[in-house]
């Protein structure tokens, strides 16, 4: 069997009893506490020192409670990240493509400035260098989150808001790269309030075409 992490291994746990359609609220509350403890513990001690026992102690639950819902520490970390993203993700369906791009970039910048996720970034990078399964999850998780930004940029290019020949994936990497560079390499993080400025620098307005009734740009 491949050492890689299968999607099924990181999916949130649901009630699988026959006829069951909801999760016991007490169980869901416990899961929420454990997931938050997971992010807090990972950000504080790093991946190497992260253990199920330490999370259980932080969450105030028994180790056996965690193992009933998550098979190992990687499945626990993956679920905590996936669930956290579902809660935090901003609306990317309304507004123009430029507005939605700005909204997504601002959201990432806000999360990176100060959040449990932000404090976990160095731990994920360090752990991914050592653990192939964590590396696979890290790359997949990042690619899936980035895709929503790529999709909006492609829509903007198709609709004339961005240059038609823009490489949407490269533009998304450029936008996010600035944000994460500020978090990991610079003295000060990238300011979320500058999201519009960053988007305009990477994705200037599409050139106005002859015959569309709009003024042509100066040569």
């Amino acid at each position: 069997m491949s050492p890689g992490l299968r999607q099924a291994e990181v999916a949130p746990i649901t009630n699988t009893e026959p006829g069951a359609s909801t999760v016991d609220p007490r169980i869901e509350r416990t899961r929420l506490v454990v997931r938050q403890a997971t992010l807090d513990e990972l950000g504080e001690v790093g991946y190497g020192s992260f253990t199920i026992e330490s999370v259980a102690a932080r969450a105030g639950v028994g180790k056996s409670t965690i193992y009933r819902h998550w098979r190992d520490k990687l499945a626990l970390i993956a679920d905590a990240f996936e669930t956290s993203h579902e809660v935090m993700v901003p609306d990317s369906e309304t507004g123009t493509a430029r507005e939605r791009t700005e909204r997504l970039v601002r959201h990432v910048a806000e999360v990176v400035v100060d959040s449990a996720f932000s404090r976990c970034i160095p731990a994920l990078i360090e752990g991914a260098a050592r653990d192939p399964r964590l590396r696979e999850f890290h790359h997949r998780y990042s690619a899936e989150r980035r895709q929503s930004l790529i999709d909006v940029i492609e829509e903007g290019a198709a609709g004339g808001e961005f240059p038609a020949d823009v490489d949407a994936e490269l533009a998304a990497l450029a936008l996010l790269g600035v944000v994460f560079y500020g978090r990991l390499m610079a003295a000060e993080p990238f300011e979320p309030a500058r999201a519009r400025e960053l988007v305009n620098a990477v994705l200037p307005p599409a050139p106005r075409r002859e015959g569309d009734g709009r003024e042509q740009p100066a040569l």
Side-chain angles (χ1 to χ4, degrees):
M1 179 182 296
S2 167
L5 185 66
R6 298 191 304 272
Q7 177 72 26
E9 293 178 348
V10 300
I13 306 299
T14 57
N15 191 339
T16 57
E17 294 180 3
S21 60
T22 60
V23 177
D24 186 322
R26 294 169 299 176
I27 295 176
E28 189 53 39
R29 282 195 296 272
T30 298
R31 290 175 182 168
L32 290 172
V33 170
V34 171
R35 287 174 184 134
Q36 186 59 54
T38 297
L39 297 178
D40 292 340
E41 184 72 9
L42 182 63
E44 183 174 315
V45 307
Y47 186 71
S49 299
F50 180 97
T51 65
I52 294 294
E53 289 80 3
S54 62
V55 173
R58 183 183 286 267
V61 301
K63 183 174 66 172
S64 61
T65 297
I66 294 179
Y67 278 119
R68 276 199 297 272
H69 300 289
W70 297 276
R71 60 182 298 167
D72 56 25
K73 74 175 188 177
L74 181 52
L76 176 56
I77 290 171
D79 187 32
F81 269 84
E82 298 281 8
T83 305
S84 177
H85 171 77
E86 291 174 4
V87 172
M88 294 188 302
V89 66
D91 172 31
S92 61
E93 300 298 325
T94 60
T96 66
R98 184 171 294 278
E99 289 169 345
R100 285 179 283 154
T101 300
E102 293 172 4
R103 194 179 303 143
L104 287 169
V105 171
R106 185 180 301 110
H107 164 69
V108 173
E110 289 170 348
V111 170
V112 165
V113 165
D114 183 29
S115 69
F117 172 81
S118 174
R119 291 185 287 275
C120 290
I121 294 174
L124 277 184
I125 294 173
E126 182 270 335
R130 303 182 182 186
D131 186 333
R133 294 176 68 231
L134 179 63
R135 182 164 58 248
E136 181 180 338
F137 163 72
H138 186 200
H139 291 169
R140 177 180 62 78
Y141 178 85
S142 299
E144 290 175 356
R145 304 291 83 76
R146 187 168 63 248
Q147 189 60 49
S148 60
L149 180 57
I150 293 173
D151 291 344
V152 173
I153 294 172
E154 288 179 340
E155 183 181 328
E161 293 185 59
F162 303 140
D165 61 351
V166 68
D167 184 323
E169 184 170 3
L170 187 60
L173 288 171
L175 292 168
L176 298 175
V178 171
V179 175
F180 282 94
Y181 183 91
R183 169 63 178 83
L184 297 170
M185 305 295 290
E188 296 292 335
F190 177 79
E191 289 291 336
R194 299 187 66 192
R196 175 172 297 181
E197 181 183 348
L198 175 58
V199 171
N200 288 338
V202 175
L203 294 165
R208 301 180 187 276
R209 294 170 293 183
E210 244 182 276
D212 66 0
R214 295 178 295 179
E215 181 182 350
Q216 299 296 307
L219 299 177

